[in-house]
Amino acid sequence: QTKCIQIDNVKARKEALHEAGELIRRGEVVAFPTETVYGLGANGLDADACAKIYQAKGRPSDNPLILHVANRSMIDQIAARIPEKAEKLIAAFCPGPITLILPRKAIVPDRITGGLATVGVRMPEHDVARALIAAAGVPIAAPSANISGRPSPTTADSVLVDMEGKIPMVLDGGACDFGVESTIVDATGDKAIILRPGAITKEMLEEVLGEGSVIIDPALVGADSVPKAPGMKYTHYAPKAPLTLIEGMPTRMARAFQREVKRLQSEGHIVGVMASHEVLKELKEILPQELMADYGHQGNLPAIAANIYEALRSFDEKEADILLGEGTTSEGLGLAIMNRLHKASGFRTINA
Ligand code: TXA
Ligand code: MG
């Protein structure tokens, strides 16, 4: 039985954080909110505690965990050295939705770094996450709190769908602000490399490090080379029914969806659609409301990022046997959104 505690007043908050910190120190796993997605946390310096995370998620053991810290001195506890570029990124973006790849100290267990000489370090901004790290007094290892391969949870309810009975506690801090995982940046080399796009965009990184000094891991933009972030090579974020993306000009979307929905229905499929408000309103005649998931207004990238995982998950209890999703631009935050949608769809796309 998993205890889910709502953190909605000062007293509940204090008691819950005390208990959760105690559980982490005892080597147990606690799910908690961050500004990106919910995390599945354990003592990051305790290999046996972290083994429980792999177990609960069904995560391949070669996929390393990132460590969450509350302050700068905790970074120094786990990182052997902080390169100049990383130093600038810490000053500009920490706390916030960014994970930095840094050379690791021996105190970080081998089992959680997948044998790499580096460790991913993230200083979350969410006050519950920060208070939990402080209460535990140790860096907290935390992947997203989903079963491996499923969309990341951005509400406590979605955490429970995947983790009920597998972990002792979920801290419910409401819905996450950003809704996509942190930007992962390797700033140990000549150029900073984005290993996973997120809310801190390439443009924002360049503003701090200088134009031309940030590149995107080529494996993220279609090429079939192996990504540098081990986790990016797995199928991920997938809903239960297969998803196909429709990409192209926003003005042509509604027509393309009408055509594709009718075609699939004529083949006997029950079609579900995840799309913008603007597209869904043009499908009212051919698609029942319960087979639609509205991910926000067309072009409102922050809203779409915040909604995509819950929208994908909303079909898991529905009868749709095939899903269509609307692509966005790949500019700015759109790069993070399209990265997740491409993986969720296994790169199946149609041009509008
Ligand atoms: O926003 C987030 O980052 C969330 C919240 C909970 O903080 N966490 C998260 O963790 O997304 P996870 O484990 O789902 O994704 C971390 C990614 C994985 O793809 C992993 O392979 C990669 O980071 N990673 C971890 N350590 C790494 C390292 N030393 N070098 C390169 N990639 C690494
Ligand atoms: Mg994940």
Side-chain angles (χ1 to χ4, degrees), residues 32-40 57 59 62-68 97-102 112-113 116-122 124 142-146 152 180-184 186 195-196 228-234 236-237 340:
F32 63 98
T34 81
E35 69 277 21
T36 57
V37 301
Y38 274 74
L40 202 55
K57 274 182 74 82
R59 183 177 176 109
D62 68 340
N63 190 359
L65 303 177
I66 61 174
L67 294 187
H68 295 65
I98 190 168
T99 295
L100 295 167
I101 302 302
L102 298 170
I112 77 151
T113 63
L116 298 173
T118 52
V119 60
V121 180
R122 164 150 146 72
S144 48
N146 50 285
S152 303
V180 288
E181 303 84 347
S182 61
T183 306
I184 303 180
D186 180 346
L195 306 186
R196 178 177 69 186
K228 290 195 179 60
M232 297 303 276
K233 72 174 181 274
Y234 300 104
H236 210 329
Y237 317 121
R340 305 317 191 270

Side-chain angles (χ1 to χ4, degrees), residues 17 20-21 24-25 32 34 67-71 74 77 122-142 171:
L17 284 166
I24 299 265
R25 275 198 304 277
F32 63 98
T34 81
L67 294 187
H68 295 65
V69 300
N71 52 46
M74 264 190 176
Q77 197 189 344
R122 164 150 146 72
M123 192 188 293
E125 191 172 23
H126 197 290
D127 61 345
V128 174
R130 297 178 65 78
L132 178 62
I133 301 165
V138 290
I140 293 186
L171 297 175

Side-chain angles (χ1 to χ4, degrees), residues 10 26 105 206 301:
V10 178
R26 264 198 275 131
K105 278 189 176 156
E206 281 188 324
L301 298 179

